[in-house]
Amino acid sequence: DATPLLSKRFFGRYSRTYIGSHSQEVCCLDPDGQIVWKKELPGRIEATIVFGKVVERRCRLGDEGSQLIVPCLDGKVYCLDENTGEILWQYDTGGEVKCGLALTDCGSRIETSTSLNQRPRAVHVPGYRLLWGQSHGGSAFAIAASGPYAGKAIWRYENSGPGVVEPVVDDTYDTQQDVFFANLKGDVFAIYAHAVTKDWMEHGPDGIKEAKEYVAWSTNVGAPVFSTPSVNFRSAQGLMLPLVPSR
């Protein structure tokens, strides 16, 4: 069910393809289709694997020792080493994970200039990448992708509704990202991802407020949503939703 992931770090004879399947295995293939490594997980894999290390211009790019983020139907999200398939960490979502995860990297802080003639500027701080997803168990979540809290939930929205749709990230502005969710209850809502990251950076995981306090807006479209929404980022408004009519 999942779309194969092609590593953009490699080119030509050095390219790599990563595939998850109902066999419960993740396979890394070389350009000739030969298996480089194979890792068996406890459940089927129906969602696309994503890189969890680097984000650049809306493209997920792998680099040396990068992470592969694998959603699994055993209810866990696994992080594998790109080169070996070794499990680096795992997170239990509480329900089957049938959708891919979205990655944000909006870690930044404001530096005060020492000159009176210069304005404060936003300075990027690495290590605050978040993986956003939802499970069939009814929760939406954001997991730390790297750093000392890797594999831990920084934000979790309990009973938000079962979801099978990958969240969509509005990364028009690097430090002010929003994440859009849609689920089988017909609920569509947006989360202030940059606010979650800001509180995490300044106060640690214990400084994260109640999940609902980061909801920018929420609405119900009257039918389950099974496909990823299309968001018009340029105008910052208008979502196109593929819906399944209620019976």
Side-chain angles (χ1 to χ4, degrees):
D1 296 333
T3 303
L5 174 67
L6 177 65
S7 174
K8 296 182 180 180
R9 173 169 67 90
F10 301 98
F11 295 94
R13 63 190 180 93
Y14 298 107
S15 65
R16 294 289 185 268
T17 302
Y18 305 95
I19 302 173
S21 71
H22 281 207
S23 68
Q24 303 183 187
E25 293 179 334
V26 177
C27 290
C28 173
L29 306 178
D30 67 16
D32 297 321
Q34 300 299 310
I35 296 176
V36 178
W37 57 257
K38 183 187 296 185
K39 182 68 176 181
E40 184 175 359
L41 297 178
R44 300 196 311 272
I45 302 159
E46 293 186 356
T48 300
I49 301 168
V50 299
F51 285 116
K53 182 101 178 185
V54 176
V55 176
E56 182 179 332
R57 295 183 183 178
R58 299 187 185 179
C59 293
R60 302 181 180 91
L61 305 181
D63 62 3
E64 190 68 32
S66 183
Q67 307 161 338
L68 298 175
I69 307 301
V70 186
C72 190
L73 262 63
D74 72 338
K76 294 182 179 180
V77 173
Y78 293 90
C79 177
L80 307 184
D81 185 279
E82 175 190 7
N83 299 316
T84 65
E86 175 190 0
I87 296 177
L88 303 178
W89 54 257
Q90 54 187 278
Y91 172 71
D92 190 349
T93 70
E96 294 179 332
V97 188
K98 296 190 173 188
C99 63
L101 276 66
L103 187 63
T104 60
D105 191 4
C106 45
S108 65
R109 57 189 169 86
I110 299 297
E111 267 196 1
T112 304
S113 174
T114 56
S115 173
L116 295 177
N117 298 324
Q118 295 182 355
R119 295 180 179 179
R121 58 193 180 94
V123 178
H124 181 73
V125 180
Y128 288 91
R129 301 182 180 94
L130 287 174
L131 292 156
W132 299 80
Q134 55 185 338
S135 75
H136 214 269
S139 296
F141 51 84
I143 313 168
S146 58
Y149 299 103
K152 307 295 183 183
I154 301 301
W155 173 88
R156 187 176 173 102
Y157 191 176
E158 298 287 357
N159 301 316
S160 58
V164 296
V165 174
E166 179 179 341
V168 178
V169 177
D170 176 3
D171 56 359
T172 305
Y173 303 100
D174 291 339
T175 59
Q176 296 188 8
Q177 297 173 335
D178 295 329
V179 180
F180 298 85
F181 286 86
N183 61 36
L184 299 182
K185 289 169 55 180
D187 291 333
V188 181
F189 55 93
I191 301 297
Y192 290 127
H194 60 283
V196 174
T197 304
K198 181 176 182 293
D199 286 347
W200 177 28
M201 291 175 60
E202 294 180 355
H203 308 293
D206 294 336
I208 300 298
K209 305 181 184 70
E210 185 73 20
K212 289 185 178 180
E213 294 193 35
Y214 297 100
V215 177
W217 56 260
S218 178
T219 189
N220 187 281
V221 296
V225 183
F226 283 88
S227 299
T228 303
S230 176
V231 183
N232 187 341
F233 298 124
R234 187 177 297 248
S235 65
Q237 58 182 322
L239 280 76
M240 297 180 63
L241 299 170
L243 306 176
V244 175
S246 300
R247 295 183 184 274

